[in-house]
Amino acid sequence: MDFNLTPEQTGFETAVRRFAQSELARDAVARAHSDDYPWDVARKMARQGLLGITVAEADGGVGGSLMDAVIAIQTVASVCPRSADVVQAGNFGAIRVLAEYGSALQKEKYLRPLLAGEALICVGMTEPDAGSAVTELKTSATPAPGGWRINGSKIFTTHGPHATVILAYVRFGPGTHGIGSVLIDTRAEGVRLGKRSAFMSGEEWVEIFFDNVFVPQDMVVLGEGGFKKQIAGFNVERIGNTSRSVALARYAYEEARQWAMQRRQFGRLLCEFQGLQWKFADMRIKLDAAQLLLYRAAGNADTGFPSATETAIAKAYCNQIGFEVANEALQVMGGMGYSRESLVEYCVRRCRGWMIAGGSIEILKNRIAEGVFERSFPQRAP
Ligand SMILES: Cc1cc2nc3c(=O)[nH]c(=O)nc-3n(C[C@H](O)[C@H](O)[C@H](O)COP(=O)(O)OP(=O)(O)OC[C@H]3O[C@@H](n4cnc5c(N)ncnc54)[C@H](O)[C@@H]3O)c2cc1C
C-alpha cells in the first residue's frame, strides 16, 4: 500500500495547477458570483484535455482513470472553486453515463460537442414528488411511432437553465424495473422551462416540463431495466461531488490558515491561541481522513465505475466534514470570513448543498447500514 501519488499523477497535478493558475486564478472571485455557466472556461479546459478524462480515446476522450479526474477537479478547485463545476460537468456527471452506455450515434451527436466545451449536459432525476425516493418518479415514456412521447417534469436540475441536452430519467413501465433514460434536446418541441430559482449556493435551477416531447428510439440511452446501470454510472457523479466537498473545504482551510498566521488580536497572532490551534488540528484530521476515503473509492475504480459502498462511505463523510471544515474556517476568519472579500463564505454555501445533492447523507447512510447488516431495509411504507 502506497499513500502517495505516482510520479505520473504528480506530473499531471502539476500541469493542471499551472494551467489553473495562469488561466483561472485571476477571475476566481467574480466567476464564483456569476450566474452564467463559464463557457470560456469549458473551451479552455477542452483544449487542455480536462474534459472527458475518463472517456475512451476512441470516443474522443483522454482514456485516463477516475483518479486522474479526481486529481484534476481537486486541483482546479484549489485555485478556482467555481471552475471545478466545469470539470464536474465534463467528466463526472451525465457525460460519463452517456460515454458508457450511449450508442455511436448518440456519442456523435452529443458527446463530441460536450468534449469540445461547446455543449452542456444535465441530469434530470428529481421530480416534485420523487426526491430521495427517486424510484417513484412519474415522468412517463409512452410508445409512439418511431420512438416515445415524454410527459412529466423535473426539478432542482443543476445547470438546467444553461444545458443543451438533458439525460432524463423516465418511466417506461411500472416499478424500479420500468425506469430508464433518454436524451432530450433542451430546444426540442414540448420542453418548457419554468420560473428560475436559485439554491443557497447561488446556482440557478429551473423546473423543466416535458409536454408530449417526442424522443426517437435511437435517443434512448437505457431502456426498461436500465435503472441499476444508471445508478452505477451515477456513483461517478457522486465522486465528483465528494471531491469538490473536500477541495472546497481545503480551500477555505488554507485561507483561514494564512489568515491565522498574519491576523493579530490581543497583541498576538491568531495561530498562537490554543483554542484556534485545536480547531486547525481538527480540520486537518478531517481533511486527511476524507481525502483517503475519496482516494480509496476512486483508486479502486481505476477506469471503471466505483464501488457503491465505497462511494457512499466517502461521500457521506466528505460531505459532512466538507461543510464542518469550511464553516470552521469561516469562524476563525471572523467578519472577514463571513464577507465576500474571499471565497470562504462561498465554499461554505457550496459544501452545504452537497450534503443534500446526489444522494443525501441520510440516504447514503441507509445504504451503508444495509452493508453493515448484510440485508436490505426497504424504506417504503409496507
Ligand atoms: C445543490 C443541489 C443540486 C442538485 N442537482 C440535481 C441535479 O442536477 N439533478 C437532479 O435530478 N436533482 C438534483 N438535486 C436534487 C437532489 O437530488 C434532491 O434534493 C435530493 O435527492 C433530496 O430530495 P428532496 O430535496 O426532495 O428531499 P426529500 O427526499 O424530501 O428529503 C428531505 C429530508 O429527509 C431525508 N430523508 C428522506 N428519506 C429518508 C429516509 N428514508 N431515511 C432517512 N432520511 C430520509 C433526506 O435525507 C432529507 O434530509 C440537487 C439538489 C441540490 C441541493
Side-chain angles (χ1 to χ4, degrees), residues 228-283:
K228 275 198 175 150
K229 283 185 172 175
Q230 189 82 48
I231 289 296
F234 192 66
N235 280 325
V236 177
E237 173 130 21
R238 290 177 165 157
I239 292 291
N241 292 357
T242 305
S243 303
R244 286 181 295 164
S245 283
V246 182
L248 266 64
R250 185 173 293 116
Y251 183 103
Y253 160 89
E254 241 338 289
E255 292 280 307
R257 196 175 73 85
Q258 297 297 336
W259 182 255
M261 289 191 293
Q262 52 95 8
R263 167 80 174 161
R264 284 180 186 277
Q265 285 295 281
F266 302 100
R268 306 179 74 172
L269 290 169
L270 291 186
C271 68
E272 291 169 4
F273 297 112
Q274 192 177 52
L276 297 187
Q277 289 167 9
W278 285 11
K279 283 184 192 288
F280 279 96
D282 284 339
M283 287 191 262

Side-chain angles (χ1 to χ4, degrees), residues 123-126 130-133 155-158 199 203 237 353 356-360 362-363 366 379:
V123 59
M125 290 169 79
T126 310
S132 300
I155 55 169
F156 298 150
T157 313
T158 298
F199 293 119
E203 296 163 282
E237 173 130 21
I356 300 166
S360 68
E362 292 80 11
I363 293 299
N366 288 346
Q379 302 294 306

Side-chain angles (χ1 to χ4, degrees), residues 318-330:
C318 295
N319 289 165
Q320 183 68 48
I321 72 92
F323 175 70
E324 288 170 7
V325 169
N327 198 36
E328 199 70 312
L330 185 155

